[in-house]
Amino acid sequence: MRFGLASRVVIAGIAATLALSACTGSGESADTAANTGGLEKTQLKIGALPIPDSAALYIANSRGFFKEEGLTVTIESVAGGAQAQQALVGGSLDATQTNYVSAFLAVSAGIKMKVISDLYQAAPDAFDIMVPKDSPITTPADLKGKKIAVNSRKNVGTLAVTALLKTQGLAETDVEFLEFPFPEMADKLKTGIVDAAWMTEPHLTAVQKTIGAQKLADTMVGPLEGFPVAGVVVIEEFANKNPKTTAAFQRAIARAQQISAADRRAVEEILPTYTKIDAATAAVITLGTFPTGVDEARLQRVADVMLEQGYLKSKIEAKTLLPGNAG
C-alpha cells in the first residue's frame, strides 16, 4: 500500500488521538438522559462536506426529524472525509459524513469505526474529471505526467481516478495528485496550478458555468459503476456507549434519506442552504443516488476494490463496520 505524506499524517493523527474518543461532543449527565427518553446524549456535532452526499443530514435537521427524536444536532462543514475522521477520533465531532475509502483506510490503521447510515452512491456523470477550456488534454491517456486536483489524497477520488488510469495503461504514479477543497478547484484549473480536477456536484456544474471547464471523463464507470461513495460513521466506542442515541439518530436520518431518494425537489431545495449554489443551479446538477439502508454487500465492494488497487494490505470484512458486529 502506498500512502502519500498527507494520508500518513492523517492516519497517524487519528491513531495518536484515539484515546480521546471517549470525550466526544458535549457530555451529559444521567439526569439529562433520564429526561430525554433515556438517550445517553442529546447534543451531537456532525461533520459534513458541502456537497449533495450530505443532503439527508440537512433535511433531517431542517424538518425537525432529529428534534423529534430528542436530539439537538449541529452540522459542521468539513473539507474531506479523512480530515473529518481525525476530528471524530479527537473528540470534536460525534459523527461525520465520510467517503467509504477513507473509512476503510482508517479501519486498516486500527481505528474501530461503525457505519450508522448510508448516504450516497455514484450515478453517471456525478463524479467527473474536468479540464480547462481548450485544454490539450482530450483523453484520460493524456493525463500522464499531469497534476490532478482531489479534495483528499487516498480517498474515493484518487481511487476512482486510479481505476480510470488503469484502463488507459497508466498507474497512480504516472500522475501527481494535489489536494484542494472542492470550492477552490475552479481557480486552480483557471490559473494552471492543476491540469485537471476530480469533482462532484455542485462544483461540476459551477466550474462549467464560471470558467468554461469541460468534462474529460466520468470516473464511476466499469468496475466503479454505481459505486458506494459516502455514509455516516462513528467511533465504535461511541456506538457502544450510546446505543439509544445512535438508534435515535438512525431513525431520523432514515426518514430524511427516504425523502432524498424519492423526491429530487427536496434535495434541490436544501442544497442552496449549505452549498454556494443558487436554486437554478441546484435544479440542473447531476445527482447520485440515495440508498435507504446500509447494505453489507455494497460496503464489501468498496473494500474489495481497495484491496485490488493496493489501498489495503489485506481484506477487510465490511460486516465488521456495521453496528452489532465485532470490529
Side-chain angles (χ1 to χ4, degrees):
M1 178 169 58
R2 304 180 302 276
F3 284 109
L5 175 60
S7 291
R8 291 198 300 270
V9 170
V10 168
I11 290 176
I14 291 176
T17 57
L18 182 58
L20 298 176
S21 61
C23 301
T24 54
S26 302
E28 289 161 283
S29 68
D31 289 341
T32 300
N35 293 326
T36 54
L39 299 184
E40 300 87 2
K41 288 177 63 69
T42 60
Q43 298 183 39
L44 301 177
K45 290 184 179 180
I46 314 295
L49 277 72
I51 54 179
D53 309 31
S54 309
L57 287 167
Y58 288 91
I59 289 173
N61 223 17
S62 67
R63 298 198 182 192
F65 297 164
F66 290 130
K67 186 176 181 180
E68 289 175 20
E69 294 288 346
L71 298 171
T72 299
V73 170
T74 301
I75 303 175
E76 298 189 355
S77 183
V78 296
Q83 297 92 328
Q85 288 173 186
Q86 188 170 0
L88 179 70
V89 178
S92 58
L93 293 174
D94 295 296
T96 189
Q97 170 215 353
T98 188
N99 71 85
Y100 289 126
V101 173
S102 292
F104 276 108
L105 282 176
V107 171
S108 73
I111 312 303
K112 293 186 176 182
M113 291 185 174
K114 295 298 182 184
V115 177
I116 60 172
S117 175
D118 204 346
L119 287 179
Y120 206 60
Q121 187 168 315
D125 285 324
F127 297 89
D128 293 346
I129 298 176
M130 304 298 290
V131 295
K133 183 180 180 181
D134 301 323
S135 171
I137 301 172
T138 58
T139 72
D142 296 332
L143 290 170
K144 185 174 183 178
K146 304 301 183 182
K147 297 177 180 178
I148 305 174
V150 291
N151 70 310
S152 289
R153 293 185 180 93
K154 284 294 179 185
N155 77 344
V156 65
T158 53
L159 181 77
V161 173
T162 300
L164 180 66
L165 292 174
K166 189 174 181 180
T167 67
Q168 306 294 310
L170 301 177
E172 181 180 1
T173 52
D174 287 318
V175 301
E176 181 180 359
F177 288 113
L178 298 179
E179 192 173 290
F180 299 104
F182 285 123
E184 296 182 13
M185 290 185 185
D187 180 67
K188 304 306 178 185
L189 282 172
K190 184 178 180 180
T191 58
I193 300 297
V194 297
D195 303 292
W198 180 82
M199 307 180 76
T200 187
E201 295 285 19
H203 307 287
L204 285 172
T205 297
V207 78
Q208 293 176 71
K209 294 174 68 174
T210 57
I211 67 170
Q214 299 176 330
K215 169 191 169 183
L216 176 68
D218 183 354
T219 59
M220 297 301 189
V221 295
L224 269 65
E225 182 177 355
F227 200 66
V229 175
V232 178
V233 299
V234 296
I235 296 300
E236 182 180 72
E237 185 176 1
F238 177 93
N240 291 341
K241 287 186 174 181
N242 303 281
K244 293 180 180 179
T245 295
T246 300
F249 177 88
Q250 289 176 309
R251 288 192 296 269
I253 197 68
R255 292 173 64 188
Q257 195 72 0
Q258 289 172 351
I259 291 171
S260 301
D263 185 3
R264 179 188 165 102
R265 189 168 184 82
V267 178
E268 292 176 8
E269 290 174 350
I270 202 68
L271 282 173
T273 69
Y274 70 96
T275 66
K276 295 181 179 179
I277 64 170
D278 54 29
T281 302
V284 298
I285 65 173
T286 301
L287 293 176
T289 60
F290 299 88
T292 55
V294 180
D295 183 85
E296 180 185 327
R298 278 204 306 269
L299 284 182
Q300 190 62 55
R301 184 180 172 198
V302 178
D304 291 346
V305 171
M306 290 176 67
L307 182 62
E308 182 181 306
Q309 294 283 2
Y311 276 48
L312 297 175
K313 291 181 179 179
S314 58
K315 183 174 182 177
I316 294 177
E317 296 294 339
K319 65 182 180 182
T320 62
L321 275 70
L322 300 180
N325 292 288

